[in-house]
Amino acid sequence: MQSVYPAPSSEFGFRPTKAQFYLLSLTWGLFETAVGACLAAGLIITGHKPEKWGLCCAFEVGEDWGGFSMGPFFVTQRGASAYLKNHEHGHALQNCIFGPLMPFIINGPSTCRYWYRRTVKSKKMRKPYDSVWFEADATKRGTEYVKNLENV
């Protein structure tokens, strides 16, 4: 899906190594990472099996709802596409960039937008999901990063 707005990604020069990704997740992005770790622990306790997707720990839960990420952890619907998983991985990369601002710059607006899109009656008025910068950026970052992961 083509975005109306260009998404910043490698043109901004941010492509962390594995060590940088985890270091940034555990320092600058600690809030999201801590919440994600608690969520992951709860999912494991309730019998959900994690899988590795890129540098993230991913879980599949429920049907027909999409996904969300919390630091290097994300949850998607069962049978999620690589597109969706890469998108959530992109949000994990954004957490390394925005850190403690992530809930205000990305998560809050993304959550409000998601629920608006789920409940709005007229689907004709919807713009593509990636038509807003933070979603397009997550998709582009995640897709590029996972595709080139063997070079990290």
Side-chain angles (χ1 to χ4, degrees):
M1 193 177 295
Q2 187 67 7
S3 172
V4 176
Y5 304 101
S9 186
S10 45
E11 63 264 21
F12 278 19
F14 181 74
R15 183 166 171 71
T17 64
K18 287 180 189 179
Q20 290 169 335
F21 174 80
Y22 293 120
L23 179 66
L24 286 168
S25 293
L26 291 168
T27 55
W28 180 239
L30 182 61
F31 175 75
E32 294 270 327
T33 300
V35 172
C38 291
L39 176 66
L43 288 168
I44 290 169
I45 289 168
T46 59
H48 294 85
K49 303 286 184 227
E51 72 169 313
K52 188 171 194 258
W53 188 268
L55 298 178
C56 294
C57 178
F59 294 88
E60 292 188 349
V61 177
E63 313 240 348
D64 191 33
W65 64 274
F68 69 92
S69 71
M70 284 293 187
F73 304 93
F74 67 80
V75 182
T76 62
Q77 63 193 18
R78 284 189 197 101
S81 65
Y83 175 88
L84 178 57
K85 291 179 179 182
N86 289 343
H87 174 85
E88 296 307 332
H89 194 289
H91 283 308
L93 293 166
Q94 288 175 329
N95 184 51
C96 292
I97 297 167
F98 297 109
L101 302 176
M102 184 78 175
F104 310 104
I105 296 175
I106 308 291
N107 291 2
S110 182
T111 301
C112 291
R113 189 169 180 271
Y114 169 83
W115 283 108
Y116 173 77
R117 290 172 61 87
R118 287 285 287 203
T119 58
V120 71
K121 298 286 184 203
S122 174
K123 295 183 181 188
K124 290 183 209 173
M125 295 176 12
R126 287 188 188 171
K127 291 182 180 177
Y129 193 76
D130 285 349
S131 65
V132 66
W133 77 269
F134 50 84
E135 301 297 1
D137 182 67
T139 299
K140 187 170 182 182
R141 282 184 195 280
T143 300
E144 287 179 3
Y145 199 88
V146 171
K147 180 177 75 176
N148 297 308
L149 195 56
E150 62 274 4
N151 300 324
V152 175

